[in-house]
Amino acid sequence: MKRQAFKMYLKPGFESEYEKRHNAIWPELRALLKETGVSDYSIFWDKETNVLFAYQIVDGGSSSQDLGDNPIVQKWWAYMADIMDTNEDNSPITIPLTEVFHMD
């Protein structure tokens, strides 16, 4: 298992909408993530910077950020594109973070 973290950018004024959409995450997206080995997935919001910090455990070769060719993920990206900073393909702009400390 591998721990991964990355950050994304939320557009100002969309904090409640972001949380609302994730609280109602589509069952097929949740199932896809679990099937590909993604677990313990959390996203935190820094209200001072509008940065979203994401953390997940990956058991396998694909993290949530490696599923962009899947139609379910593409549909989710399109659904979220109006409230996040995105690339041209609607994927969220993500910046991987390097782990510098971990304690069990």
Side-chain angles (χ1 to χ4, degrees):
M1 289 191 171
K2 180 171 68 169
R3 293 179 302 278
Q4 287 192 330
F6 52 93
K7 63 182 179 177
M8 302 171 287
Y9 300 97
L10 183 62
K11 292 180 180 176
F14 288 101
E15 301 82 13
S16 295
E17 183 63 23
Y18 184 87
E19 187 172 6
K20 175 183 161 190
R21 292 181 190 186
H22 278 77
N23 285 338
I25 192 169
W26 305 334
E28 61 270 28
L29 180 56
R30 181 185 297 271
L32 174 66
L33 291 169
K34 288 185 177 204
E35 288 168 13
T36 57
V38 175
S39 64
D40 197 14
Y41 192 174
S42 298
I43 302 172
F44 300 87
W45 171 56
D46 178 352
K47 66 181 179 179
E48 293 178 9
T49 63
N50 262 10
V51 169
L52 298 164
F53 166 78
Y55 169 86
Q56 58 189 236
I57 301 289
V58 179
D59 185 16
S62 297
S63 77
S64 63
Q65 301 306 293
D66 298 322
L67 300 174
D69 58 344
N70 186 288
I72 296 168
V73 173
Q74 291 174 1
K75 185 178 172 184
W76 179 260
W77 286 350
Y79 176 57
M80 298 300 291
D82 63 325
I83 64 173
M84 299 181 68
D85 289 352
T86 63
N87 296 299
E88 288 184 20
D89 66 354
N90 286 332
S91 64
I93 294 173
T94 59
I95 299 170
L97 300 173
T98 303
E99 184 175 303
V100 295
F101 174 78
H102 174 77
M103 185 180 91
D104 279 325

